[in-house]
Every structure is written in C-alpha cells, then in structure tokens.
Amino acid sequence: MTEFSDMIRDALTGGPAFEPEPGRQALDRAMQRFDRRARTMRWLAVVALLAMTAVLAWGLSQMIRAGEENTRLIAHGTFLAIVGVTGISFTKLWFFIAQNHLMLMREMKGLEFLILRSENAGGEGESGPS
Amino acid sequence: MKSARQQQDPATERLADQWLVLEAQRGEAESFRLLAERWQERLWRHAYRVTQREALAWDVSQEAWLVIARHLGRLGDPRKFGSWALSIVTRRALDAMRKAGRVDALEDPATEVLEVTVEAPPPGSPLERMGRALAVLPAPQRTLLALHHVEGLALEEIAGVLAVPVGTVKSRLHTAREALRDTLERMKP
C-alpha cells in the first residue's frame, strides 16, 4: 500500500518545468487587482470621512443660523447626527469584532516567529515581523 | 525562491505563510507578492496535475490568483490558506476540464505528458506506466489522488476542498485507487 502510494506521488510529482515568465505575468495581474482593491478601500474611507464631515458642518451651520422659531430643525439635526455617529460606531465595532481574531493572531505569529528565530540560531526567515 | 523555501524547516515555512496572509489581509501589497511567489509554482503544478495540459494550467492558475487577490480578506483562518487556495485551483481546473473536454477529446493527454516531462521515466518502467495510468484516469479521481498523495492534505481538508462529506472522500479515494489498479493491470504487457 505504501509503495503504491509512493508511486502515485512520484508519478504525479513529475511534469513540465515551471516557467517563471508566464507565471510573472499572471502574478502581475493578480498584484494589480490586489493593489487596486486596497487603493479603492482607502479612497472609499477618505470619501466617506469627507462626506460625513461635510454633512456635519452643514448641519452645524444650519443650527447656528436657525432662529427661535426653528428649534424643530435643531432637534432634527441633533437626532440625525446622533443616528449617524451611532451607525458609524456600530459599523466600526462590528468591523473590529470581525477582524479582532486576525489582529490577535498577527501578534501571536509575531511572537512565534521570534521564538523560532531564537531556536534556529542563524536561521533567517524570508519575511516576518520587523 | 523554491530553494530558499527548502532551506527552512516546515514549521517556519507554515508560520511565514500565515504571517504573509495576515499582512496581505491588511492590504500589504508586498506581502501579497511574496505569498504569491511562494505559492505560485505549487498551485500551478496542482492545476497541471488536474488538467494535464500546460497552457490550461496557466489559465487556471491565473484565474485562481485573481480570485485569491479578490477574496483573501475574507479568509478567516490564515492557517487554511493552502487548502483554500488549492480548493480554488481545483474547482477552476475541473471547470476548465469540463469546458475543454469536448474540444480536446481527440487528444491523448498521456502523450502530451510524456512530451513535456523534463525527466521522464524510462519507457515501460513501472513509474512510466503509473504516469500514463494517472493521465487517463478521470480528472476528479486524479485530483483526489493528487490532493491526498502529493499535497498531503488530510481527509477533512480534502472534504473542505471538494465540499463533500469526509465519508464521501474516503469512498471516492478508494474508488480512485481501484480504478488506477485496474488501469495499470490493463496496461501490463
């Protein structure tokens, strides 16, 4: 059984030589997509922040300019601001909870790396925590 | 890159991969590039094992990397990157085989394997016969054998890759081995 398994593995391990050039092209396309996605997320965050600031500034100016007869406008503005801030806070909290284990894991992996490095004297990892 | 990988012990390799996944999930492009360089050949070889066609394997691996780039952020456990990436390649490769099946029906995949193999075993040797037998095996069975015997995935991991229960993996693996034995018997001179 073991010999049979070894033979399967050996027969499947063979194949054409890996050509790095077409591989690089494939990788470049994936990199571009990854980069674009990361940049889009960053821009979306900036745009959302700017939009939120603009709305708050507009609301504040409306409240300052409102006379005594417009107290309802102030109440609406305050209510909207509270809803907005609460919504953003909950979104951030949800995101933090969803990603929290990854942050913890990152810290743990960093520690594991340090331990492995100290164990393997002279062993230099290709990458790791700086 | 490959030789650099081989110098490291497996624990460090796994840890490095997990670290790179976590960094890439934070949007670090350099980490994603390193991760892709480390896994590129392995994923391409898996695609080749399934499709048995070099050009098709490139198409599959390229598509797979685009999917990985898009969905890496959703991977909840960086330790599962390997089986996750292999599952993407497997699904894409089997889809590509289904699409290309009718077009390439007249081609003998075994011939192509022998033509492009760098260090082909001597003709008539048990390894050469095994290679031919594997090449004529249906792609899903060859995939299963590759995941188990070459990639070294556990049955549970294969079940995750193929989205089937563990019991099904066991029975399919048994069937694939039996089919391979039968093919080898028929190939005996």
Side-chain angles (χ1 to χ4, degrees):
Chain A
M1 184 64 187
T2 311
E3 200 184 328
F4 189 64
S5 299
D6 287 348
M7 254 175 81
I8 295 173
R9 195 193 54 229
D10 291 345
L12 282 170
T13 307
F18 179 73
E19 298 286 341
E21 197 42 49
R24 198 167 295 130
Q25 287 169 11
L27 223 57
D28 282 349
R29 282 193 61 194
M31 278 299 299
Q32 280 169 6
R33 175 167 288 194
F34 186 81
D35 250 357
R36 206 165 45 228
R37 195 172 177 276
R39 246 181 293 141
T40 309
M41 293 304 284
R42 273 197 293 272
W43 274 110
L44 275 177
V46 170
V47 168
L49 190 74
L50 286 177
M52 200 179 74
T53 312
V55 168
L56 282 175
W58 174 79
L60 199 67
S61 74
Q62 290 292 311
M63 278 190 263
I64 289 167
R65 277 192 285 164
E68 279 180 9
E69 70 279 12
N70 285 333
T71 45
R72 189 177 285 176
L73 181 69
I74 295 170
H76 281 164
T78 313
F79 177 73
L80 277 179
I82 290 169
V83 168
V85 169
T86 313
I88 290 163
S89 305
F90 271 109
T91 310
K92 282 182 83 171
L93 189 67
W94 170 80
F95 187 75
F96 179 75
I97 291 167
Q99 299 289 316
N100 193 34
H101 73 287
L102 291 176
M103 290 180 203
L104 285 173
M105 208 174 257
R106 195 170 157 270
E107 295 300 321
M108 281 161 62
K109 295 296 161 197
L111 286 172
E112 275 183 58
F113 248 122
L114 289 175
I115 293 165
L116 263 175
R117 270 188 183 172
S118 60
E119 277 177 357
N120 306 336
E124 289 172 24
E126 281 174 34
S127 54
S130 49
Chain B
M1 179 58 70
K2 195 187 174 192
S3 58
R5 284 200 76 164
Q6 283 166 349
Q7 285 167 7
Q8 302 282 337
D9 68 294
T12 314
E13 287 302 323
R14 277 196 297 274
L15 202 52
D17 283 338
Q18 289 164 26
W19 175 263
L20 289 173
V21 170
L22 286 164
E23 287 290 291
Q25 284 180 325
R26 292 172 67 215
E28 291 289 332
E30 182 60 16
S31 297
F32 182 77
R33 192 184 61 75
L34 276 172
L35 185 73
E37 276 181 8
R38 291 164 68 86
W39 279 83
Q40 190 189 15
E41 184 173 351
R42 189 168 164 188
L43 294 186
W44 177 80
R45 289 214 173 274
H46 182 64
Y48 178 76
R49 272 177 218 121
V50 178
T51 59
Q52 296 283 293
R53 285 166 182 81
E54 208 175 331
L56 201 55
W58 277 120
D59 291 345
V60 166
S61 113
Q62 183 160 332
E63 275 180 37
W65 276 110
L66 292 177
V67 175
I68 291 169
R70 202 189 311 148
H71 297 298
L72 185 66
R74 292 186 205 163
L75 183 67
D77 187 349
R79 286 170 299 184
K80 290 183 177 164
F81 173 77
S83 56
W84 176 69
L86 283 169
S87 73
I88 293 170
V89 173
T90 302
R91 270 183 236 132
R92 299 261 152 184
L94 289 174
D95 282 350
M97 285 292 281
R98 263 177 235 125
K99 282 178 196 161
R102 285 174 291 279
V103 181
D104 296 340
L106 296 175
E107 280 182 29
D108 177 11
T111 315
E112 192 190 356
V113 175
L114 291 178
E115 278 172 3
V116 294
T117 297
V118 178
E119 288 177 26
S125 67
L127 197 60
E128 189 261 354
R129 274 195 293 123
M130 178 65 92
R132 277 193 292 137
L134 282 163
V136 296
L137 217 59
Q141 290 187 338
R142 193 170 52 244
T143 305
L144 199 57
L145 292 171
L147 287 171
H148 189 61
H149 293 285
V150 183
E151 296 300 340
L153 296 192
L155 294 177
E156 291 77 15
E157 286 176 304
I158 299 175
V161 168
L162 301 175
V164 293
V166 179
T168 310
V169 173
K170 273 184 198 169
S171 66
R172 282 187 190 173
L173 205 51
H174 178 74
T175 312
R177 283 202 196 106
E178 289 307 307
L180 188 60
R181 278 185 219 277
D182 286 349
T183 315
L184 279 170
E185 279 299 315
R186 275 188 271 118
M187 278 181 174
K188 267 187 182 170

